[in-house]
Amino acid sequence: QALLVESGGGVVQPGGSLRLSCAASGFNFNTSAITWFRQSPGKGREGISCLSVGDGSTSYANSVKGRFTISRDFTRNTVDLQMDNLKTEGPAVYYCARRRPLTRNVPAPCALAVAFYESWGQGTQGTGTS
C-alpha cells in the first residue's frame, strides 16, 4: 500500500518561509508524480505544485509561481516544497499526493487536479499570521 507522510508545517509570519517534506513508500517513487495541495477552512483542496519524479518536470499554480519551489531531496528521499514570501493567510493543511504511472513503465506527468491522484498523506498544518 502506498504511504505518504508530510512534515514541516508550523507557524510563520507573512513574508516568511516554510519547507515541507513528503516521504513516500510502498510504490515506485521514480515513476510517480508527487503534488502538494493546500486546503484552507471552507475551501476546496487546491493543487499548488507538482513534480514528475522520473523526468524532473515541475508545475506550479499561478498563485505560487516565483515564490514556491518543489524539488527532490536525494539525501532524505523526499519531495520537498520550499515556500518563500508567504502571503497573509489563516491556517491551512498541506497534503502531498501521488499520481500513478500511466502504464507500468510510463511515468506519470504532472497535473494539479485532485482527480488525478490516488494516494494521499494525512496532511501537515501551516499557519501564516499577520
Side-chain angles (χ1 to χ4, degrees), residues 3-5 20 24 28 30-31 36 41 48 60-61 70 72 77-79 83 102-103 112 118 125 129:
L3 177 64
L4 300 99
V5 180
L20 308 179
N28 190 340
N30 293 322
T31 59
W36 284 97
I48 55 175
Y60 297 91
I70 191 168
R72 169 82 181 271
N77 197 32
T78 60
V79 173
M83 305 189 294
L102 299 183
T103 69
L112 296 178
E118 298 83 19
Q125 183 169 315
T129 61

Side-chain angles (χ1 to χ4, degrees), residues 4 31-37 45-47 50-51 59 96-102 107-120:
L4 300 99
T31 59
S32 300
I34 303 295
T35 293
W36 284 97
F37 292 82
R45 197 166 295 183
E46 175 191 18
C50 175
L51 172 66
S59 182
C96 64
R98 178 234 183 182
R99 184 185 185 185
R100 294 178 298 162
L102 299 183
C110 267
L112 296 178
V114 168
F116 288 97
Y117 294 84
E118 298 83 19
S119 302
W120 295 80

